[in-house]
PDB file of all heavy atoms in Angstrom:
ATOM      1  N   ALA A   1       5.982   5.302 -15.719  1.00 98.00           N
ATOM      2  CA  ALA A   1       4.917   4.825 -14.837  1.00 98.00           C
ATOM      3  C   ALA A   1       3.896   5.923 -14.574  1.00 98.00           C
ATOM      4  O   ALA A   1       4.200   7.123 -14.648  1.00 98.00           O
ATOM      5  CB  ALA A   1       5.517   4.339 -13.516  1.00 98.00           C
ATOM      6  N   LEU A   2       2.673   5.498 -14.255  1.00 98.00           N
ATOM      7  CA  LEU A   2       1.584   6.447 -14.039  1.00 98.00           C
ATOM      8  C   LEU A   2       0.785   6.068 -12.797  1.00 98.00           C
ATOM      9  O   LEU A   2       0.523   4.889 -12.535  1.00 98.00           O
ATOM     10  CB  LEU A   2       0.648   6.474 -15.256  1.00 98.00           C
ATOM     11  CG  LEU A   2       1.255   7.008 -16.561  1.00 98.00           C
ATOM     12  CD1 LEU A   2       0.330   6.702 -17.728  1.00 98.00           C
ATOM     13  CD2 LEU A   2       1.524   8.501 -16.466  1.00 98.00           C
ATOM     14  N   LEU A   3       0.381   7.081 -12.053  1.00 98.00           N
ATOM     15  CA  LEU A   3      -0.491   6.962 -10.893  1.00 98.00           C
ATOM     16  C   LEU A   3      -1.779   7.736 -11.178  1.00 98.00           C
ATOM     17  O   LEU A   3      -1.882   8.444 -12.176  1.00 98.00           O
ATOM     18  CB  LEU A   3       0.191   7.533  -9.647  1.00 98.00           C
ATOM     19  CG  LEU A   3       1.619   7.063  -9.320  1.00 98.00           C
ATOM     20  CD1 LEU A   3       2.212   7.920  -8.195  1.00 98.00           C
ATOM     21  CD2 LEU A   3       1.622   5.602  -8.931  1.00 98.00           C
ATOM     22  N   GLN A   4      -2.764   7.622 -10.255  1.00 98.00           N
ATOM     23  CA  GLN A   4      -3.997   8.405 -10.388  1.00 98.00           C
ATOM     24  C   GLN A   4      -4.405   8.948  -9.017  1.00 98.00           C
ATOM     25  O   GLN A   4      -4.957   8.233  -8.203  1.00 98.00           O
ATOM     26  CB  GLN A   4      -5.133   7.569 -10.987  1.00 98.00           C
ATOM     27  CG  GLN A   4      -6.383   8.399 -11.262  1.00 98.00           C
ATOM     28  CD  GLN A   4      -7.549   7.610 -11.849  1.00 98.00           C
ATOM     29  OE1 GLN A   4      -8.605   8.180 -12.157  1.00 98.00           O
ATOM     30  NE2 GLN A   4      -7.397   6.318 -12.015  1.00 98.00           N
ATOM     31  N   HIS A   5      -4.045  10.222  -8.781  1.00 98.00           N
ATOM     32  CA  HIS A   5      -4.439  10.956  -7.578  1.00 98.00           C
ATOM     33  C   HIS A   5      -4.057  10.205  -6.298  1.00 98.00           C
ATOM     34  O   HIS A   5      -4.914   9.845  -5.486  1.00 98.00           O
ATOM     35  CB  HIS A   5      -5.944  11.225  -7.600  1.00 98.00           C
ATOM     36  CG  HIS A   5      -6.377  12.310  -6.642  1.00 98.00           C
ATOM     37  ND1 HIS A   5      -6.162  13.644  -6.874  1.00 98.00           N
ATOM     38  CD2 HIS A   5      -7.029  12.239  -5.450  1.00 98.00           C
ATOM     39  CE1 HIS A   5      -6.659  14.347  -5.870  1.00 98.00           C
ATOM     40  NE2 HIS A   5      -7.183  13.519  -4.993  1.00 98.00           N
ATOM     41  N   PRO A   6      -2.767   9.994  -6.049  1.00 98.00           N
ATOM     42  CA  PRO A   6      -2.345   9.320  -4.812  1.00 98.00           C
ATOM     43  C   PRO A   6      -2.460  10.253  -3.612  1.00 98.00           C
ATOM     44  O   PRO A   6      -2.193  11.448  -3.713  1.00 98.00           O
ATOM     45  CB  PRO A   6      -0.890   8.968  -5.099  1.00 98.00           C
ATOM     46  CG  PRO A   6      -0.429  10.059  -6.026  1.00 98.00           C
ATOM     47  CD  PRO A   6      -1.625  10.384  -6.884  1.00 98.00           C
ATOM     48  N   LEU A   7      -2.818   9.678  -2.457  1.00 98.00           N
ATOM     49  CA  LEU A   7      -2.995  10.485  -1.249  1.00 98.00           C
ATOM     50  C   LEU A   7      -2.052  10.115  -0.115  1.00 98.00           C
ATOM     51  O   LEU A   7      -1.929  10.885   0.839  1.00 98.00           O
ATOM     52  CB  LEU A   7      -4.441  10.364  -0.743  1.00 98.00           C
ATOM     53  CG  LEU A   7      -5.531  10.985  -1.605  1.00 98.00           C
ATOM     54  CD1 LEU A   7      -6.897  10.774  -0.961  1.00 98.00           C
ATOM     55  CD2 LEU A   7      -5.290  12.468  -1.842  1.00 98.00           C
ATOM     56  N   GLY A   8      -1.401   8.956  -0.184  1.00 98.00           N
ATOM     57  CA  GLY A   8      -0.583   8.538   0.942  1.00 98.00           C
ATOM     58  C   GLY A   8       0.710   7.884   0.515  1.00 98.00           C
ATOM     59  O   GLY A   8       0.813   7.328  -0.580  1.00 98.00           O
ATOM     60  N   VAL A   9       1.721   7.934   1.399  1.00 98.00           N
ATOM     61  CA  VAL A   9       3.012   7.296   1.155  1.00 98.00           C
ATOM     62  C   VAL A   9       3.523   6.704   2.469  1.00 98.00           C
ATOM     63  O   VAL A   9       3.164   7.164   3.555  1.00 98.00           O
ATOM     64  CB  VAL A   9       4.065   8.289   0.610  1.00 98.00           C
ATOM     65  CG1 VAL A   9       3.806   8.613  -0.833  1.00 98.00           C
ATOM     66  CG2 VAL A   9       4.118   9.560   1.443  1.00 98.00           C
ATOM     67  N   ALA A  10       4.362   5.685   2.344  1.00 98.00           N
ATOM     68  CA  ALA A  10       5.040   5.090   3.493  1.00 98.00           C
ATOM     69  C   ALA A  10       6.354   4.517   3.003  1.00 98.00           C
ATOM     70  O   ALA A  10       6.450   4.034   1.867  1.00 98.00           O
ATOM     71  CB  ALA A  10       4.184   4.003   4.142  1.00 98.00           C
ATOM     72  N   VAL A  11       7.371   4.559   3.854  1.00 98.00           N
ATOM     73  CA  VAL A  11       8.695   4.073   3.481  1.00 98.00           C
ATOM     74  C   VAL A  11       8.889   2.671   4.042  1.00 98.00           C
ATOM     75  O   VAL A  11       8.715   2.431   5.240  1.00 98.00           O
ATOM     76  CB  VAL A  11       9.787   5.017   4.008  1.00 98.00           C
ATOM     77  CG1 VAL A  11      11.172   4.487   3.651  1.00 98.00           C
ATOM     78  CG2 VAL A  11       9.598   6.420   3.430  1.00 98.00           C
ATOM     79  N   LEU A  12       9.268   1.731   3.168  1.00 97.00           N
ATOM     80  CA  LEU A  12       9.529   0.355   3.564  1.00 97.00           C
ATOM     81  C   LEU A  12      10.977   0.215   4.036  1.00 97.00           C
ATOM     82  O   LEU A  12      11.836   1.037   3.692  1.00 97.00           O
ATOM     83  CB  LEU A  12       9.242  -0.579   2.390  1.00 97.00           C
ATOM     84  CG  LEU A  12       7.762  -0.615   1.966  1.00 97.00           C
ATOM     85  CD1 LEU A  12       7.598  -1.262   0.601  1.00 97.00           C
ATOM     86  CD2 LEU A  12       6.934  -1.359   3.003  1.00 97.00           C
ATOM     87  N   PRO A  13      11.278  -0.822   4.827  1.00 96.00           N
ATOM     88  CA  PRO A  13      12.627  -0.946   5.390  1.00 96.00           C
ATOM     89  C   PRO A  13      13.744  -1.015   4.357  1.00 96.00           C
ATOM     90  O   PRO A  13      14.881  -0.631   4.657  1.00 96.00           O
ATOM     91  CB  PRO A  13      12.536  -2.248   6.197  1.00 96.00           C
ATOM     92  CG  PRO A  13      11.099  -2.370   6.565  1.00 96.00           C
ATOM     93  CD  PRO A  13      10.355  -1.829   5.385  1.00 96.00           C
ATOM     94  N   ASP A  14      13.465  -1.507   3.153  1.00 95.00           N
ATOM     95  CA  ASP A  14      14.515  -1.590   2.142  1.00 95.00           C
ATOM     96  C   ASP A  14      14.742  -0.274   1.408  1.00 95.00           C
ATOM     97  O   ASP A  14      15.541  -0.210   0.471  1.00 95.00           O
ATOM     98  CB  ASP A  14      14.199  -2.702   1.137  1.00 95.00           C
ATOM     99  CG  ASP A  14      12.926  -2.435   0.328  1.00 95.00           C
ATOM    100  OD1 ASP A  14      12.261  -1.405   0.571  1.00 95.00           O
ATOM    101  OD2 ASP A  14      12.593  -3.264  -0.542  1.00 95.00           O
ATOM    102  N   GLY A  15      14.043   0.794   1.832  1.00 95.00           N
ATOM    103  CA  GLY A  15      14.197   2.097   1.201  1.00 95.00           C
ATOM    104  C   GLY A  15      13.230   2.354   0.072  1.00 95.00           C
ATOM    105  O   GLY A  15      13.177   3.473  -0.452  1.00 95.00           O
ATOM    106  N   SER A  16      12.461   1.346  -0.338  1.00 97.00           N
ATOM    107  CA  SER A  16      11.442   1.581  -1.360  1.00 97.00           C
ATOM    108  C   SER A  16      10.254   2.304  -0.737  1.00 97.00           C
ATOM    109  O   SER A  16      10.102   2.357   0.486  1.00 97.00           O
ATOM    110  CB  SER A  16      11.004   0.270  -2.007  1.00 97.00           C
ATOM    111  OG  SER A  16      10.419  -0.597  -1.058  1.00 97.00           O
ATOM    112  N   VAL A  17       9.405   2.874  -1.576  1.00 98.00           N
ATOM    113  CA  VAL A  17       8.308   3.721  -1.114  1.00 98.00           C
ATOM    114  C   VAL A  17       6.981   3.122  -1.555  1.00 98.00           C
ATOM    115  O   VAL A  17       6.758   2.893  -2.755  1.00 98.00           O
ATOM    116  CB  VAL A  17       8.448   5.157  -1.669  1.00 98.00           C
ATOM    117  CG1 VAL A  17       7.329   6.043  -1.137  1.00 98.00           C
ATOM    118  CG2 VAL A  17       9.804   5.748  -1.299  1.00 98.00           C
ATOM    119  N   ALA A  18       6.123   2.842  -0.585  1.00 98.00           N
ATOM    120  CA  ALA A  18       4.768   2.377  -0.887  1.00 98.00           C
ATOM    121  C   ALA A  18       3.868   3.594  -1.069  1.00 98.00           C
ATOM    122  O   ALA A  18       3.952   4.557  -0.301  1.00 98.00           O
ATOM    123  CB  ALA A  18       4.250   1.487   0.236  1.00 98.00           C
ATOM    124  N   VAL A  19       3.018   3.538  -2.074  1.00 98.00           N
ATOM    125  CA  VAL A  19       2.153   4.669  -2.429  1.00 98.00           C
ATOM    126  C   VAL A  19       0.698   4.222  -2.391  1.00 98.00           C
ATOM    127  O   VAL A  19       0.332   3.216  -3.015  1.00 98.00           O
ATOM    128  CB  VAL A  19       2.488   5.204  -3.843  1.00 98.00           C
ATOM    129  CG1 VAL A  19       1.588   6.386  -4.194  1.00 98.00           C
ATOM    130  CG2 VAL A  19       3.956   5.588  -3.942  1.00 98.00           C
ATOM    131  N   ALA A  20      -0.126   4.943  -1.646  1.00 98.00           N
ATOM    132  CA  ALA A  20      -1.575   4.730  -1.691  1.00 98.00           C
ATOM    133  C   ALA A  20      -2.094   5.405  -2.953  1.00 98.00           C
ATOM    134  O   ALA A  20      -2.327   6.623  -2.976  1.00 98.00           O
ATOM    135  CB  ALA A  20      -2.237   5.300  -0.443  1.00 98.00           C
ATOM    136  N   ASP A  21      -2.241   4.617  -4.013  1.00 98.00           N
ATOM    137  CA  ASP A  21      -2.655   5.130  -5.320  1.00 98.00           C
ATOM    138  C   ASP A  21      -4.182   5.178  -5.332  1.00 98.00           C
ATOM    139  O   ASP A  21      -4.856   4.288  -5.843  1.00 98.00           O
ATOM    140  CB  ASP A  21      -2.100   4.225  -6.417  1.00 98.00           C
ATOM    141  CG  ASP A  21      -2.245   4.813  -7.805  1.00 98.00           C
ATOM    142  OD1 ASP A  21      -2.655   5.984  -7.910  1.00 98.00           O
ATOM    143  OD2 ASP A  21      -1.952   4.103  -8.784  1.00 98.00           O
ATOM    144  N   THR A  22      -4.706   6.238  -4.774  1.00 98.00           N
ATOM    145  CA  THR A  22      -6.091   6.287  -4.308  1.00 98.00           C
ATOM    146  C   THR A  22      -7.107   6.023  -5.405  1.00 98.00           C
ATOM    147  O   THR A  22      -7.984   5.158  -5.269  1.00 98.00           O
ATOM    148  CB  THR A  22      -6.349   7.653  -3.645  1.00 98.00           C
ATOM    149  OG1 THR A  22      -5.342   7.878  -2.656  1.00 98.00           O
ATOM    150  CG2 THR A  22      -7.718   7.700  -3.015  1.00 98.00           C
ATOM    151  N   TYR A  23      -7.022   6.746  -6.511  1.00 98.00           N
ATOM    152  CA  TYR A  23      -8.053   6.614  -7.535  1.00 98.00           C
ATOM    153  C   TYR A  23      -7.859   5.392  -8.421  1.00 98.00           C
ATOM    154  O   TYR A  23      -8.773   5.022  -9.171  1.00 98.00           O
ATOM    155  CB  TYR A  23      -8.113   7.879  -8.384  1.00 98.00           C
ATOM    156  CG  TYR A  23      -8.842   9.036  -7.716  1.00 98.00           C
ATOM    157  CD1 TYR A  23      -9.370   8.922  -6.440  1.00 98.00           C
ATOM    158  CD2 TYR A  23      -9.001  10.255  -8.375  1.00 98.00           C
ATOM    159  CE1 TYR A  23     -10.032   9.974  -5.839  1.00 98.00           C
ATOM    160  CE2 TYR A  23      -9.672  11.325  -7.784  1.00 98.00           C
ATOM    161  CZ  TYR A  23     -10.177  11.183  -6.512  1.00 98.00           C
ATOM    162  OH  TYR A  23     -10.835  12.234  -5.921  1.00 98.00           O
ATOM    163  N   ASN A  24      -6.719   4.718  -8.324  1.00 98.00           N
ATOM    164  CA  ASN A  24      -6.561   3.418  -8.972  1.00 98.00           C
ATOM    165  C   ASN A  24      -6.939   2.277  -8.033  1.00 98.00           C
ATOM    166  O   ASN A  24      -6.901   1.108  -8.440  1.00 98.00           O
ATOM    167  CB  ASN A  24      -5.125   3.216  -9.458  1.00 98.00           C
ATOM    168  CG  ASN A  24      -4.857   3.917 -10.779  1.00 98.00           C
ATOM    169  OD1 ASN A  24      -5.737   4.008 -11.641  1.00 98.00           O
ATOM    170  ND2 ASN A  24      -3.655   4.430 -10.947  1.00 98.00           N
ATOM    171  N   GLY A  25      -7.267   2.588  -6.785  1.00 98.00           N
ATOM    172  CA  GLY A  25      -7.646   1.554  -5.832  1.00 98.00           C
ATOM    173  C   GLY A  25      -6.532   0.559  -5.585  1.00 98.00           C
ATOM    174  O   GLY A  25      -6.782  -0.648  -5.459  1.00 98.00           O
ATOM    175  N   ALA A  26      -5.296   1.056  -5.489  1.00 98.00           N
ATOM    176  CA  ALA A  26      -4.146   0.167  -5.441  1.00 98.00           C
ATOM    177  C   ALA A  26      -3.097   0.673  -4.477  1.00 98.00           C
ATOM    178  O   ALA A  26      -3.097   1.840  -4.071  1.00 98.00           O
ATOM    179  CB  ALA A  26      -3.540   0.029  -6.839  1.00 98.00           C
ATOM    180  N   VAL A  27      -2.187  -0.230  -4.099  1.00 98.00           N
ATOM    181  CA  VAL A  27      -0.960   0.136  -3.403  1.00 98.00           C
ATOM    182  C   VAL A  27       0.184  -0.154  -4.359  1.00 98.00           C
ATOM    183  O   VAL A  27       0.330  -1.276  -4.845  1.00 98.00           O
ATOM    184  CB  VAL A  27      -0.775  -0.645  -2.093  1.00 98.00           C
ATOM    185  CG1 VAL A  27       0.560  -0.273  -1.442  1.00 98.00           C
ATOM    186  CG2 VAL A  27      -1.921  -0.374  -1.126  1.00 98.00           C
ATOM    187  N   ARG A  28       0.973   0.857  -4.650  1.00 98.00           N
ATOM    188  CA  ARG A  28       2.094   0.730  -5.582  1.00 98.00           C
ATOM    189  C   ARG A  28       3.407   0.819  -4.804  1.00 98.00           C
ATOM    190  O   ARG A  28       3.434   1.295  -3.666  1.00 98.00           O
ATOM    191  CB  ARG A  28       2.041   1.854  -6.627  1.00 98.00           C
ATOM    192  CG  ARG A  28       0.652   2.114  -7.215  1.00 98.00           C
ATOM    193  CD  ARG A  28       0.224   1.078  -8.223  1.00 98.00           C
ATOM    194  NE  ARG A  28       1.020   1.161  -9.437  1.00 98.00           N
ATOM    195  CZ  ARG A  28       0.842   2.084 -10.406  1.00 98.00           C
ATOM    196  NH1 ARG A  28      -0.109   3.010 -10.264  1.00 98.00           N
ATOM    197  NH2 ARG A  28       1.596   2.092 -11.488  1.00 98.00           N
ATOM    198  N   ARG A  29       4.497   0.384  -5.434  1.00 98.00           N
ATOM    199  CA  ARG A  29       5.809   0.497  -4.801  1.00 98.00           C
ATOM    200  C   ARG A  29       6.811   1.074  -5.789  1.00 98.00           C
ATOM    201  O   ARG A  29       6.939   0.581  -6.913  1.00 98.00           O
ATOM    202  CB  ARG A  29       6.315  -0.855  -4.300  1.00 98.00           C
ATOM    203  CG  ARG A  29       7.700  -0.746  -3.618  1.00 98.00           C
ATOM    204  CD  ARG A  29       8.104  -2.014  -2.924  1.00 98.00           C
ATOM    205  NE  ARG A  29       8.297  -3.117  -3.840  1.00 98.00           N
ATOM    206  CZ  ARG A  29       8.476  -4.385  -3.463  1.00 98.00           C
ATOM    207  NH1 ARG A  29       8.452  -4.679  -2.162  1.00 98.00           N
ATOM    208  NH2 ARG A  29       8.640  -5.330  -4.353  1.00 98.00           N
ATOM    209  N   TYR A  30       7.503   2.111  -5.337  1.00 98.00           N
ATOM    210  CA  TYR A  30       8.588   2.699  -6.116  1.00 98.00           C
ATOM    211  C   TYR A  30       9.909   2.244  -5.521  1.00 98.00           C
ATOM    212  O   TYR A  30      10.144   2.408  -4.316  1.00 98.00           O
ATOM    213  CB  TYR A  30       8.500   4.228  -6.106  1.00 98.00           C
ATOM    214  CG  TYR A  30       9.739   4.907  -6.636  1.00 98.00           C
ATOM    215  CD1 TYR A  30      10.100   4.792  -7.977  1.00 98.00           C
ATOM    216  CD2 TYR A  30      10.559   5.652  -5.789  1.00 98.00           C
ATOM    217  CE1 TYR A  30      11.249   5.408  -8.463  1.00 98.00           C
ATOM    218  CE2 TYR A  30      11.703   6.275  -6.270  1.00 98.00           C
ATOM    219  CZ  TYR A  30      12.037   6.146  -7.606  1.00 98.00           C
ATOM    220  OH  TYR A  30      13.176   6.743  -8.078  1.00 98.00           O
ATOM    221  N   ASP A  31      10.780   1.687  -6.361  1.00 97.00           N
ATOM    222  CA  ASP A  31      12.100   1.217  -5.940  1.00 97.00           C
ATOM    223  C   ASP A  31      13.138   2.214  -6.430  1.00 97.00           C
ATOM    224  O   ASP A  31      13.444   2.254  -7.625  1.00 97.00           O
ATOM    225  CB  ASP A  31      12.365  -0.171  -6.527  1.00 97.00           C
ATOM    226  CG  ASP A  31      13.687  -0.762  -6.060  1.00 97.00           C
ATOM    227  OD1 ASP A  31      14.525  -0.004  -5.532  1.00 97.00           O
ATOM    228  OD2 ASP A  31      13.888  -1.981  -6.231  1.00 97.00           O
ATOM    229  N   PRO A  32      13.692   3.047  -5.539  1.00 96.00           N
ATOM    230  CA  PRO A  32      14.671   4.045  -5.989  1.00 96.00           C
ATOM    231  C   PRO A  32      15.927   3.419  -6.585  1.00 96.00           C
ATOM    232  O   PRO A  32      16.533   3.989  -7.494  1.00 96.00           O
ATOM    233  CB  PRO A  32      14.995   4.829  -4.711  1.00 96.00           C
ATOM    234  CG  PRO A  32      13.868   4.558  -3.776  1.00 96.00           C
ATOM    235  CD  PRO A  32      13.410   3.171  -4.099  1.00 96.00           C
ATOM    236  N   ALA A  33      16.333   2.260  -6.068  1.00 95.00           N
ATOM    237  CA  ALA A  33      17.557   1.635  -6.569  1.00 95.00           C
ATOM    238  C   ALA A  33      17.399   1.189  -8.020  1.00 95.00           C
ATOM    239  O   ALA A  33      18.331   1.316  -8.827  1.00 95.00           O
ATOM    240  CB  ALA A  33      17.931   0.446  -5.680  1.00 95.00           C
ATOM    241  N   MET A  34      16.229   0.666  -8.363  1.00 96.00           N
ATOM    242  CA  MET A  34      15.983   0.179  -9.720  1.00 96.00           C
ATOM    243  C   MET A  34      15.311   1.222 -10.606  1.00 96.00           C
ATOM    244  O   MET A  34      15.258   1.046 -11.828  1.00 96.00           O
ATOM    245  CB  MET A  34      15.109  -1.081  -9.664  1.00 96.00           C
ATOM    246  CG  MET A  34      15.718  -2.226  -8.867  1.00 96.00           C
ATOM    247  SD  MET A  34      17.271  -2.800  -9.593  1.00 96.00           S
ATOM    248  CE  MET A  34      16.659  -3.466 -11.141  1.00 96.00           C
ATOM    249  N   GLY A  35      14.784   2.277  -9.987  1.00 97.00           N
ATOM    250  CA  GLY A  35      14.062   3.274 -10.770  1.00 97.00           C
ATOM    251  C   GLY A  35      12.819   2.711 -11.410  1.00 97.00           C
ATOM    252  O   GLY A  35      12.490   3.040 -12.557  1.00 97.00           O
ATOM    253  N   SER A  36      12.101   1.862 -10.670  1.00 98.00           N
ATOM    254  CA  SER A  36      10.951   1.179 -11.247  1.00 98.00           C
ATOM    255  C   SER A  36       9.768   1.214 -10.302  1.00 98.00           C
ATOM    256  O   SER A  36       9.904   1.446  -9.093  1.00 98.00           O
ATOM    257  CB  SER A  36      11.300  -0.273 -11.573  1.00 98.00           C
ATOM    258  OG  SER A  36      11.634  -0.983 -10.382  1.00 98.00           O
ATOM    259  N   VAL A  37       8.578   0.948 -10.851  1.00 98.00           N
ATOM    260  CA  VAL A  37       7.322   0.945 -10.106  1.00 98.00           C
ATOM    261  C   VAL A  37       6.623  -0.390 -10.318  1.00 98.00           C
ATOM    262  O   VAL A  37       6.596  -0.918 -11.434  1.00 98.00           O
ATOM    263  CB  VAL A  37       6.404   2.102 -10.564  1.00 98.00           C
ATOM    264  CG1 VAL A  37       5.052   2.043  -9.857  1.00 98.00           C
ATOM    265  CG2 VAL A  37       7.072   3.448 -10.315  1.00 98.00           C
ATOM    266  N   GLY A  38       6.067  -0.960  -9.238  1.00 98.00           N
ATOM    267  CA  GLY A  38       5.256  -2.165  -9.314  1.00 98.00           C
ATOM    268  C   GLY A  38       4.020  -2.016  -8.454  1.00 98.00           C
ATOM    269  O   GLY A  38       3.856  -1.025  -7.731  1.00 98.00           O
ATOM    270  N   THR A  39       3.149  -3.014  -8.513  1.00 98.00           N
ATOM    271  CA  THR A  39       1.885  -2.979  -7.777  1.00 98.00           C
ATOM    272  C   THR A  39       1.887  -4.050  -6.701  1.00 98.00           C
ATOM    273  O   THR A  39       2.152  -5.222  -6.972  1.00 98.00           O
ATOM    274  CB  THR A  39       0.702  -3.193  -8.733  1.00 98.00           C
ATOM    275  OG1 THR A  39       0.655  -2.090  -9.653  1.00 98.00           O
ATOM    276  CG2 THR A  39      -0.612  -3.256  -7.985  1.00 98.00           C
ATOM    277  N   LEU A  40       1.582  -3.645  -5.466  1.00 98.00           N
ATOM    278  CA  LEU A  40       1.540  -4.560  -4.328  1.00 98.00           C
ATOM    279  C   LEU A  40       0.140  -5.094  -4.053  1.00 98.00           C
ATOM    280  O   LEU A  40      -0.012  -6.204  -3.553  1.00 98.00           O
ATOM    281  CB  LEU A  40       2.060  -3.858  -3.072  1.00 98.00           C
ATOM    282  CG  LEU A  40       3.502  -3.342  -3.113  1.00 98.00           C
ATOM    283  CD1 LEU A  40       3.847  -2.636  -1.801  1.00 98.00           C
ATOM    284  CD2 LEU A  40       4.481  -4.466  -3.400  1.00 98.00           C
ATOM    285  N   ALA A  41      -0.897  -4.321  -4.316  1.00 98.00           N
ATOM    286  CA  ALA A  41      -2.268  -4.741  -4.038  1.00 98.00           C
ATOM    287  C   ALA A  41      -3.217  -3.947  -4.928  1.00 98.00           C
ATOM    288  O   ALA A  41      -2.931  -2.805  -5.302  1.00 98.00           O
ATOM    289  CB  ALA A  41      -2.611  -4.529  -2.568  1.00 98.00           C
ATOM    290  N   ARG A  42      -4.355  -4.558  -5.258  1.00 97.00           N
ATOM    291  CA  ARG A  42      -5.363  -3.914  -6.108  1.00 97.00           C
ATOM    292  C   ARG A  42      -6.743  -4.106  -5.499  1.00 97.00           C
ATOM    293  O   ARG A  42      -6.910  -4.759  -4.480  1.00 97.00           O
ATOM    294  CB  ARG A  42      -5.327  -4.504  -7.529  1.00 97.00           C
ATOM    295  CG  ARG A  42      -3.997  -4.365  -8.227  1.00 97.00           C
ATOM    296  CD  ARG A  42      -4.019  -4.951  -9.633  1.00 97.00           C
ATOM    297  NE  ARG A  42      -4.910  -4.222 -10.523  1.00 97.00           N
ATOM    298  CZ  ARG A  42      -5.074  -4.508 -11.819  1.00 97.00           C
ATOM    299  NH1 ARG A  42      -4.406  -5.513 -12.361  1.00 97.00           N
ATOM    300  NH2 ARG A  42      -5.889  -3.795 -12.564  1.00 97.00           N
TER     301      ARG A  42
END
């Protein structure tokens, strides 16, 4: 997975991590249990 200059992070109740993927204009989510990344908003 790839990001572009992220500036912010927040932890969701299920333990996954939301990422302010600043230069992609998106909010991404990293799931530690699955070892995967998805996109929540663009």
Side-chain angles (χ1 to χ4, degrees):
L2 294 168
L3 310 170
Q4 186 180 182
H5 197 75
L7 292 180
V9 285
V11 178
L12 295 165
D14 64 358
S16 62
V17 182
V19 180
D21 191 7
T22 308
Y23 282 1
N24 280 326
V27 177
R28 316 284 291 282
R29 180 170 65 190
Y30 168 67
D31 184 345
M34 301 298 294
S36 63
V37 176
T39 296
L40 300 178
R42 301 181 66 178

